[in-house]
Amino acid sequence: MPFCKECGSALEDDAKYCTVCGTRRTDNVASLHFPSDKVGLKEEQSKDVTSSVSSESERGPSCWSANNTTLSYDFGSADKSDSPKKKNEARIAFIFIILTALVVISAIVYIIASVGGNASSNDSVLGFYSAQKAETNGKSINAKSLWEKGFTIELKGNGKAVIIVDGNPSSAKWTLKGDQFKIIGSSFDCNGILSNEILILENVLDTGVTLYFVKSDAEQPSMPKQSPMPTPSPTLTPTPMPKPVAITNGKVLRSISYKGQCPFKVSAPGGSGGYFVFLKYLRAPSNSKEQRVVKSSFSPPYKSDVVFYVAAGQSVEIDVPVGVYQFFYACGETWYGEKLKFGEETRFYASDDVLVFYSDGDYYQGHSITLWKQENGNFDTDEISESSFPD
């Protein structure tokens, strides 16, 4: 005899439902399970439940009757995965997956936009840059004096570059962050600045040379694809170095309008180089019995200044006309003539006091000066600017 798999009651051989609990019959196991917490009551259920089934038509998968109280149930409610807790966990997991996907997509879009923005912002700097000027040791020279066939850099997209030195091309990579530029090749690694179509590279090829490049939109002759050369940009012509001028110790560089009578001696310290001495005439001495007589046809400065050259380690003795003078001198290593003197390295000095050369009728008063510091010295000089030195 078959039994109900739910309540254990005996069943008729041909019964399809349990007459006690209303469970549908199966051959092996009960196919439906109705826990008390899964059954929804439309009305309050009595504590003593006895079922009376009048016919099979009143029983079925949708409802069953017990003491005129109708109970409804859902076959799917027996699945534990549909519990509120499980459903909430599934919703949370789904939301988390969606949010994670949104974050990943946003990051990808940002990276693509950043790369695209950098590429587009660097598009304006692509092209050829030709070296125009080189600087080394503070001096400017034409770049072609270093590389006969020129020095050219072609900046391409995707950070690629071609470096052409004296007609020999080589590949390289470049980056640009703001105006900070860097280029690296097989034997080339330089940092610099790229701004307003001017590229400045420092210590090029480890030579200590700083190169200035100017952008040119046309291809260079050394490239495989050639096009007519554009009108060359003006280049800076370096100032030629002056040529040294030979000069001897005691050489008088300005002729004197009046006869020299007062002795004057200047001694220079040893070493190399020389000294350009300049006595600037100011006026006639008030205590001299010999007064200057200047013809009205003469015009200032009457060529009364006394100018001569003293070599290092030498002395010069010369006769100076009566008068009051201020003492100036310039010094340096190499003499380039009275206009340039000792070139850029020239240093200029002037005395604090004046020198008075005069005659009292019996003798002529003169002076002797040493151009190095001495203990208890009585004639001070100070360094001055070139503009303060007399012509």
Side-chain angles (χ1 to χ4, degrees), residues 57-262:
S57 62
E58 295 177 355
R59 306 180 183 94
S62 62
C63 64
W64 59 279
S65 176
N67 286 348
N68 297 326
T69 300
T70 302
L71 302 180
S72 64
Y73 62 90
D74 182 0
F75 289 121
S77 65
D79 189 356
K80 294 183 179 181
S81 64
D82 289 338
S83 65
K85 182 177 180 181
K86 292 291 184 179
K87 289 182 178 180
N88 287 338
E89 291 177 352
R91 290 192 189 99
I92 293 173
F94 179 76
I95 293 173
F96 177 78
I97 293 172
I98 295 298
L99 292 177
T100 302
L102 290 175
V103 170
V104 172
I105 292 172
S106 299
I108 294 174
V109 172
Y110 175 79
I111 293 172
I112 294 174
S114 299
V115 173
N118 290 337
S120 61
S121 63
N122 286 339
D123 284 348
S124 61
V125 304
L126 301 182
F128 291 87
Y129 291 78
S130 300
Q132 302 294 322
K133 182 182 73 168
E135 284 188 356
T136 178
N137 297 326
K139 298 177 182 178
S140 297
I141 57 177
N142 193 313
K144 286 191 175 182
S145 64
L146 297 175
W147 297 282
E148 182 179 354
K149 296 182 181 180
F151 193 135
T152 303
I153 297 177
E154 181 189 4
L155 299 185
K156 298 182 176 182
N158 299 322
K160 296 181 180 180
V162 177
I163 302 172
I164 309 165
V165 181
D166 264 343
N168 300 314
S170 62
S171 60
K173 292 286 187 178
W174 65 276
T175 57
L176 180 64
K177 295 182 180 180
D179 62 354
Q180 299 300 308
F181 180 84
K182 184 175 183 64
I183 185 167
I184 301 176
S186 57
S187 60
F188 191 88
D189 187 346
C190 273
N191 296 319
I193 296 174
L194 176 54
S195 179
N196 297 324
E197 299 188 346
I198 296 177
L199 172 61
I200 303 174
L201 294 181
E202 299 177 349
N203 193 25
V204 176
L205 299 175
D206 294 326
T207 59
V209 174
T210 299
L211 273 183
Y212 292 79
F213 294 78
V214 177
K215 185 180 180 184
S216 172
D217 292 331
E219 294 183 0
Q220 303 301 310
S222 56
M223 299 302 297
K225 297 181 180 180
Q226 298 183 3
S227 61
M229 289 293 291
T231 303
S233 302
T235 57
L236 298 177
T237 303
T239 303
M241 291 295 293
K243 295 182 179 180
V245 176
I247 190 170
T248 58
N249 181 59
K251 173 71 174 179
V252 176
L253 300 172
R254 299 276 180 93
S255 60
I256 303 173
S257 303
Y258 302 95
K259 181 180 179 181
Q261 298 168 316
C262 302

Side-chain angles (χ1 to χ4, degrees), residues 256-380:
I256 303 173
S257 303
Y258 302 95
K259 181 180 179 181
Q261 298 168 316
C262 302
F264 183 46
K265 180 180 180 180
V266 177
S267 300
S272 58
Y275 297 82
F276 175 71
V277 177
F278 197 117
L279 282 180
K280 180 67 176 177
Y281 176 79
L282 301 178
R283 61 184 182 275
S286 58
N287 60 342
S288 177
K289 292 183 178 181
E290 293 187 14
Q291 298 296 324
R292 284 287 182 88
V293 178
V294 180
K295 295 182 179 180
S296 59
S297 60
F298 287 179
S299 59
Y302 312 121
K303 297 183 180 179
S304 299
D305 301 329
V306 180
V307 183
F308 56 93
Y309 181 87
V310 182
Q314 303 292 321
S315 297
V316 172
E317 296 184 19
I318 191 172
D319 290 333
V320 176
V322 171
V324 178
Y325 299 83
Q326 185 174 6
F327 179 77
F328 296 87
Y329 73 95
C331 59
E333 288 292 324
T334 306
W335 178 251
Y336 298 107
E338 187 174 347
K339 183 178 180 180
L340 297 178
K341 299 177 179 60
F342 301 94
E344 295 180 354
E345 66 179 15
T346 306
R347 301 180 66 178
F348 302 90
Y349 297 86
S351 64
D352 294 337
D353 300 321
V354 297
L355 295 174
V356 180
F357 296 87
Y358 66 95
S359 170
D360 62 2
D362 294 327
Y363 62 91
Y364 291 98
Q365 176 66 39
H367 298 275
S368 178
I369 294 178
T370 56
L371 298 179
W372 63 86
K373 292 183 179 181
Q374 290 190 0
E375 187 176 357
N376 300 322
N378 58 0
F379 192 68
D380 295 329

